[in-house]
Amino acid sequence: NAGVTQTPKFQVLKTGQSMTLQCAQDMNHNSMYWYRQDPGMGLRLIYYSASEGTTDKGEVPNGYNVSRLNKREFSLRLESAAPSQTSVYFCASSAPWGAETQYFGPGTRLLVL
Amino acid sequence: RKEVEQDPGPFNVPEGATVAFNCTYSNSASQSFFWYRQDCRKEPKLLMSVYSSGNEDGRFTAQLNRASQYISLLIRDSKLSDSATYLCVSPTGGGNKLTFGTGTQLKVEL
């Protein structure tokens, strides 16, 4: 039981490049989330998916797109990376009956030059 | 005003000390809160939940003060392994969303 997995662990991009961050969970959770964490800003919600087939914007969605591929997988895409998107990205999932317990993946450290 | 606000610290305490953190919240309708722990360069993990009756788990006690709109986390007999950032968390609006505070850093020293 791996929990929440994320790939890649680290990535360096040049401004304007695109990339997709992958996230998968094996806990049969309905809800999945993407956060970014920056110094002094805390965790901020980018997008979330309450269930398979649905996605909604969070606090900071600009510059990102998401896909809930199936119940297990929730990907985050940067179409044209900008230096302001340099951050640590965390994916999380939760069960509907225990929404306060979000299980996080190990994170992806992204540097945009 | 942010939904949850925390003193960023760091709190530097000797091993064995008792330390307390507070977190203020703005939404008076919130019924429950949570403390998450985040180790350096790791993902956050749920430490404990806080309801109106408070919560105690070993050396950790969390309490909710509705009148003053703050929650607290008390750690007794601090261990070196308690060194981490503690995140105050509140449910947000509808759905299964959470709002995370910026965290309070604790450093327990010999």
Side-chain angles (χ1 to χ4, degrees):
Chain A
N1 195 344
V4 180
T5 57
Q6 291 183 236
T7 56
K9 285 186 170 51
F10 305 94
Q11 185 71 46
V12 179
L13 291 179
K14 294 180 180 178
T15 296
Q17 287 185 316
S18 63
M19 78 163 294
T20 299
L21 281 65
Q22 306 286 354
C23 173
Q25 51 91 10
D26 61 3
M27 296 174 283
N28 202 34
H29 286 166
N30 289 332
S31 300
M32 297 186 74
Y33 314 82
W34 275 107
Y35 294 90
R36 60 177 290 173
Q37 187 173 36
D38 304 291
M41 300 293 291
L43 282 159
R44 292 182 292 170
L45 184 65
I46 304 171
Y47 271 94
Y48 70 102
S49 171
S51 61
E52 185 179 353
T54 67
T55 60
D56 284 289
K57 295 178 180 180
E59 182 185 353
V60 289
N62 291 344
Y64 305 95
N65 286 302
V66 290
S67 295
R68 183 74 183 267
L69 305 171
N70 47 56
K71 192 171 187 179
R72 290 187 63 249
E73 297 171 290
F74 188 37
S75 62
L76 178 72
R77 182 161 179 83
L78 287 69
E79 291 290 352
S80 179
S84 61
Q85 294 177 305
T86 293
S87 188
V88 181
Y89 291 86
F90 287 102
C91 176
S93 70
S94 69
W97 55 86
E100 67 272 14
T101 305
Q102 292 190 6
Y103 296 85
F104 284 79
T108 294
R109 296 181 182 279
L110 176 65
L111 173 63
V112 183
L113 301 174
Chain B
R1 183 180 173 186
K2 293 181 182 178
E3 282 200 48
V4 287
E5 294 198 58
Q6 299 181 249
D7 181 342
F11 284 63
N12 297 313
V13 302
E15 201 174 16
T18 295
V19 61
F21 314 131
N22 283 343
C23 165
T24 58
Y25 63 91
S26 59
N27 184 357
S28 59
S30 294
Q31 299 292 315
S32 58
F33 299 86
F34 316 102
W35 284 101
Y36 273 66
R37 170 191 169 130
Q38 185 173 24
D39 292 318
C40 187
R41 302 178 75 83
K42 298 287 189 180
E43 71 272 22
K45 294 182 180 179
L46 178 67
L47 177 66
M48 60 196 311
S49 304
V50 191
Y51 302 102
S52 57
S53 57
N55 195 3
E56 184 172 332
D57 183 5
R59 297 182 294 109
F60 296 81
T61 300
Q63 294 196 313
L64 169 60
N65 183 316
R66 289 197 183 279
S68 302
Q69 290 190 215
Y70 73 86
I71 65 172
S72 62
L73 177 67
L74 180 77
I75 306 175
R76 291 179 296 276
D77 190 23
S78 299
K79 311 290 185 192
L80 294 174
S81 58
D82 295 333
S83 297
T85 296
Y86 292 84
L87 307 174
C88 173
V89 184
S90 168
T92 299
N96 297 334
K97 295 179 291 182
L98 300 175
T99 294
F100 288 79
T102 53
T104 297
Q105 188 179 13
L106 172 66
K107 296 181 180 179
V108 181
E109 303 164 331
L110 287 171

